[in-house]
Structure formats: C-alpha cells, structure tokens
C-alpha cells in the first residue's frame, strides 16, 4: 500500500524531460530490468493463484493458503530495493524505501505468518489483493520506464489505481493487525517480561497497537503525496476533465 | 576631489586605504577620505523581492554588520536568524566576511533566507543535559505512576542501582558544568526545532534506561561485584579522560581567537591518546557508556551506547576530515575515533 508512493521520485524523474542526471549504467539497468520483470511475473503468479483458487473453491475465504509461499518470497524479495537505493542505482531515498518495504515485510511475517489464526480472515485477502494489483502495475511501470517505452496506460494506472487500492490495502492491514491482537495477548507472542538478565521488556501487543495508531498520521501524508504526484505527472488530464 | 572620487568608484574600493589630508567638505556628511561606499541590496531568496536597500555601507563592514542593519528594518529577523548568500545556489556567508573582500561590485546583492527561530548551542546543550539528570532521579526515587503503586518512593536493595544513579548523575552534572565553564562553543546558534529533536532523543533514552535500572524487578549483573567494579572503573577512567580532553581543547586557543590549531598530547596522561585519535573526547565518551553498560547489564543502555557510537563516529569522521583539510602536516597516525580502526 505504502509502496505505491515508493519510487515516485523515480517516476517523476523518468517523466520529466531528460535532465543532465546520470542514471544507472548499462549493467545496472540490465539488472534492474531483470529484477522488475521477475517481480512483475511473481506478482502475476500470485494474482493468477488467487483467481484459480477462487474458481476452484467457489468462495473468497481462505485464499491466503494458496498463495502463501509466492507472497512471502516476492514480498521479501522487495528488500533488495533498499539495497538498490543504498548503492545508488535507483534514485529514491533509502530511508523512505526502507520504511515502506519494512512495513510490508512486517505485515507479511510478523503478523500474518506469525499469528496463524488470522490467516483465514477476509482482511488478509483485502490487502493481498491490493498489494498484488499495485505491485503488478508498479513493477511493469519500472520495467517500461527503464526501457524508455512507457505506455501511457501503465503510467495512468500507476497514478490512478492507488486512489482505491491504497485505502483498500490500509483497511486490510489494519483489520488484520486488529484481528491478531487477542491471540498475541493470550500467547505473549514476541514479548519478554521482567525479571530477566537483560533487564529489558517488550510487549508485542502494545507495540501492535502503536503500529495501528501510527497509520493515522502516516497514511494521509502518503496518500496526498501520491495525489500531488498524480497532478504533476498526469497534469493535463485535469484540464480535459474540467467541464463547465 | 570629485574626479578622484569618480575614479576610485570605478575601481574596487581598494583605494579606501589612502587618506588625503582631512579637509572639511561642504558636501554630504562623509568623512574626508576617498572611501568607496558600497550599496547593498538585500533580496528575498525565494521571491527575489527587494527587501532592503542600504546605501553608504562601509567597505570594511562585515556580513554581521549588514545583518545588524537588516535587523533594524526587520526587527523580527535578528542576525542569528539570517542567512545571506551572494547567489541563490551559493553557501551562506559567514559573519566575519568583510564586504570589500567579497566578489561583488560596489553594488552588492545578497539573498536572504530566514533560518527560523534560533537558540544558542549553549542553551540546547543545557536542556539536553538537565533533562536526563532530572528524569533519571525521578525513576530512581520511584515517583508515583511509574511503577506499581506499592513500590512508590521505595529504594532498591541492590547496591549497583545506587551506584548507577550516582554515575549517571555525575555524568550529566559534569556535562552541565562543562557547558557552563569549560566549553568554548564557536558556532552561534541552531534552529529551534533541533532542541525538540535533540532533547526528545536524550530525554526519552534516559527515561528508558532509568526505567529498567530502577525497576523493582531489576536483575543484578551476572558476574556480580566483579562485573560492577569493572564497569565502574572503566566509567570513571573515561570520565576523567573525557574531562581532560575538554580542558586540553579549551586551552588550545584563547577566547575569541579564530585561529585553528591541532590539538596535541599534554603532560596529562589522559591526553596522550591524541597520538592515536583526532576526537578522543568521543572515544572516552564511548568508553564511559560501555562501562555503564557493563556495570548495569541492561539492554536499553547497550542500545543507547550503540546509537551514541554511531552518531559520534559520524561527528568524529567529519571533524577528522576537516582537520586533514585544514592542516597539511596533520599527524598521519591518527584515526577519527577508534585507534587504528575507525
């Protein structure tokens, strides 16, 4: 969800007239193209997996299990993007990208994987669907940008779909965390209490609540940032849509 | 006289040094010298709007003088808050720069930007240090609403907890006294929001550490008194070392002097580390916190030590680099913070 905002600086960079900014070298570009193609394919696999599972079962429930492994693999793979920023082949901020990728990885592993009982919740399907559609568009956007042949449709989709997908993903994530709370409290998952020889304590339950609260300031900022990016990148559509 | 004045005006005010015999001129109340006065124009950096035009500015005026003049017209923007540049993309001019040495004609344009409300570094340092001092004591005395009510105002039965309180308090009292009496802070001010950032970090870290060390369920170090003593000795050694370095740095130059000098070891053995390290004050500070960590065996303290280490390394490397740039004969054996390693 928040990954929609990721690389917007890159998008803006790709869309604005070529400045005298030195992009990644040929080798780095080739690697990035391969990376983005692989990620696009991976998320397509997840999308297809979801559809097939739905058709096979005839219901929306419990579809997580059918795409659990590719989801974990490809979402975790996104950690490489932090490396890309750190090394400099992608012009985004390491901190921003890191934050966004880590929030996804956190939800995948520290919530959904760790608390088995939430895996059958519908909220999981909500955010998985949002992530899947977002990532397919995002990675194909990057692929085409790198090859300098970006179809307008993809650009439009990247800067338009988020309007629905972002809130959808956030809702799914929040509902999932909320559903996990009682189990975390009951089992004391990932928590450490005093006394212990490290003189340290951590309450995962409280931590999850803090995470949920943090969505309140963060989500609007990221959402409106994407809105502003949309105006900037797709600017001229505003003129056409103004019908007096 | 007039012709000479015109000639001087077309040059770069270098003629200002010549002093013809002082003759009272019936003209404008200038001094009877061939000083070329500058005209200074101050523009807003973003809007390029003309904010102020100063004429008859002495060529020997400094950037600070110009800032003071600007402050007169705009009382809200005191000099510390002003950033003046010769070009929108250039760096801020230092206060000491003299007008006539700048690469400008006799009409100089400066771009102004507001740095926001400023605080002196001294103020910020004090706030950063007084907070942890007070907060730790609040936890030590177990004021209400921190721990379970049955523990309010009780005292820990572990000797190391009392020792830790003494060490922590000593450390911050020392810092406060150094800020007041030892340090010579060359930078003027920093933006207001920094105080929230810095204090937030120091105060929250202190509270976090103090919570666990003074907790009724605190567990004493695994290796007992030996471990506590080892931690204590390291801590004290490094505190003395840190203080020695601060004194040595203070004695390096006289108050107000702008001359930069390389710090060298003095007779005090604690300063001999200068042979190996550029910023031994950070080295000793790190050592103090390692000692404190060992003494209390507390993960939050270890955490704080690691973060402090990272931050101080960044500062030390910056300082080391500026030493290398400033002095051609800078000792090559020195590392920035850890001898031979970093």
């Amino acid at each position: 969800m928040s990954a929609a905002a990721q690389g917007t600086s890159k998008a803006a960079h790709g869309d604005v007239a070529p400045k005298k900014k030195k992009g990644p070298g040929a080798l780095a570009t080739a690697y990035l193209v391969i990376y983005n193609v692989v990620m696009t394919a991976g998320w397509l696999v997840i999308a297809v997996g979801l559809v097939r599972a739905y058709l096979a079962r005839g219901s929306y429930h419990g579809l997580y299990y059918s795409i659990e492994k590719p989801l974990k693999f490809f979402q975790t793979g996104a950690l490489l993007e932090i490396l890309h920023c750190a090394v400099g082949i992608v012009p985004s901020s390491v901190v921003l990208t890191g934050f966004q990728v880590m929030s996804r990885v956190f939800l995948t592993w520290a919530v959904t994987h760790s608390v088995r009982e939430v895996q059958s919740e519908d909220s999981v399907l909500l955010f998985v669907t949002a992530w899947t559609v977002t990532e397919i568009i995002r990675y194909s956007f990057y692929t085409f940008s790198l090859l300098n042949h970006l179809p307008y449709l993809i650009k439009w989709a990247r800067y338009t779909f988020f309007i629905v997908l972002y809130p959808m993903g956030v809702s799914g994530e929040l509902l999932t965390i909320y559903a996990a709370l009682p189990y975390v409290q009951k089992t004391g998952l990932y928590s450490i209490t005093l006394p212990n020889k490290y003189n340290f304590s951590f309450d995962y339950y409280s931590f999850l609540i803090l995470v949920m609260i943090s969505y309140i300031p963060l989500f609007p900022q990221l959402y409106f940032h994407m809105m502003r990016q949309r105006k900037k990148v797709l600017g001229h559509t505003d003129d056409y849509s103004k019908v007096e | 006289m007039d012709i000479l004045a015109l000639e001087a005006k077309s040059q770069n005010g270098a003629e200002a040094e010549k002093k013809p015999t002082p003759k009272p001129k019936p003209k404008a109340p200038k001094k009877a010298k061939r000083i070329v006065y500058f005209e200074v124009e101050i523009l807003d950096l973003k809007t390029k709007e003309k904010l102020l035009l100063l004429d008859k500015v002495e060529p020997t005026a400094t950037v600070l003088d110009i800032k003071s003049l600007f402050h007169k017209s705009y009382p809200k923007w005191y000099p510390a808050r002003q950033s003046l540049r010769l070009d929108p993309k250039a760096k801020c001019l230092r206060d000491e720069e003299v007008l006539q040495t700048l690469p400008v004609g006799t009409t100089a344009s400066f771009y102004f930007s507001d740095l926001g409300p400023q605080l002196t570094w001294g103020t910020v340092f004090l706030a950063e240090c007084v907070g942890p001092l007070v907060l730790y004591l609040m936890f030590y005395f177990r004021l209400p609403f921190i721990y379970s009510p049955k523990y309010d105002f009780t005292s820990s039965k572990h000797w190391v907890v009392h020792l830790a309180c003494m060490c922590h308090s000593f450390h911050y009292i020392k810092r406060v006294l150094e800020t007041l009496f030892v340090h010579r802070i060359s930078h003027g001010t920093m933006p207001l929001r920094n105080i929230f950032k810095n204090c937030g970090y120091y105060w929250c870290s202190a509270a976090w550490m103090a919570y666990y060390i003074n907790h009724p369920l605190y567990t004493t170090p695994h290796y007992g008194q030996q471990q506590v003593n080892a931690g204590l000795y390291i801590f004290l050694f490094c505190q003395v070392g840190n203080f020695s370095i601060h004194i040595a740095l203070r004695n390096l130059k006289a108050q107000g002097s702008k001359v930069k000098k390389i710090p060298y070891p003095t007779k005090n053995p604690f300063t001999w580390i200068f042979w190996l390290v550029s910023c031994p004050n950070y080295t000793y500070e790190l050592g103090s916190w390692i000692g404190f960590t060992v003494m209390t065996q507390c993960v939050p303290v270890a955490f704080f030590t690691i973060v402090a280490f990272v931050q101080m390394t960044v500062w030390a490397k910056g300082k080391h680099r500026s030493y290398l740039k400033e002095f051609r004969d800078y000792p090559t054996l020195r590392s920035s913070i850890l001898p031979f390693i970093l």
Side-chain angles (χ1 to χ4, degrees), chain B residues 92-299:
Chain B
C92 292
L93 292 167
R94 293 196 326 259
D95 284 352
E96 315 82 68
E97 305 257 21
V98 176
L99 186 54
Q100 64 186 7
T101 62
L102 294 174
V104 291
T106 47
T107 304
S109 295
F110 292 110
Y111 291 92
F112 159 80
S113 57
D114 180 18
L115 296 170
Q118 299 281 306
L119 290 167
T120 57
W121 277 57
T123 311
V124 178
F125 278 173
L126 282 176
E128 281 172 5
C129 295
V130 168
L133 187 62
V134 170
L135 280 168
Y136 193 100
L137 289 171
M138 286 169 64
F139 286 88
Y140 175 73
F141 289 114
R142 295 192 182 149
L143 296 188
F145 303 112
I146 301 174
Y147 305 112
S148 201
K150 69 179 180 201
Y151 295 112
D152 287 349
F153 298 112
T154 56
S155 181
S156 172
K157 58 180 188 276
H158 304 298
W159 164 237
V160 65
V161 173
H162 305 298
L163 196 57
C165 181
M166 289 189 267
C167 288
H168 190 269
S169 306
F170 172 77
H171 175 261
Y172 281 104
I173 291 172
K174 167 180 158 292
R175 267 225 196 144
V176 167
L177 293 175
E178 280 173 346
T179 306
L180 291 172
F181 302 115
V182 177
H183 291 312
R184 292 225 185 93
I185 301 165
S186 48
H187 308 281
T189 61
M190 64 161 79
L192 181 66
R193 65 170 180 280
N194 271 22
I195 198 178
F196 296 117
K197 206 164 46 106
N198 293 5
C199 286
Y201 170 69
Y202 280 106
W203 292 22
C204 288
S205 299
W208 194 38
M209 289 193 281
Y211 176 78
Y212 288 106
I213 299 173
N214 298 296
H215 201 283
L217 297 176
Y218 172 76
T219 311
T220 52
H222 189 244
Y223 294 102
Q225 198 57 34
Q226 267 186 325
Q227 186 174 340
V228 172
N229 290 345
L232 179 64
Y233 297 149
I234 296 170
F235 176 82
L236 289 174
F237 182 88
C238 292
Q239 287 289 285
V240 176
N242 182 266
F243 181 69
S244 308
I245 301 299
H246 286 153
I247 294 289
L249 288 172
R250 175 196 170 81
N251 292 338
L252 205 55
K253 55 178 180 177
Q255 173 70 359
S257 151
K258 294 278 177 205
V259 176
K260 292 201 175 123
K261 286 157 73 177
I262 304 177
Y264 280 109
T266 66
K267 291 205 178 70
N268 182 343
F270 285 99
T271 63
W272 294 353
I273 194 175
F274 266 121
W275 288 123
L276 300 174
V277 163
S278 291
C279 302
N281 49 321
Y282 295 138
T283 315
Y284 280 123
E285 183 72 15
L286 174 66
S288 301
W289 285 109
I290 290 176
F292 193 70
T293 309
V294 168
M295 193 171 84
T296 55
Q297 194 171 300
C298 179
V299 162

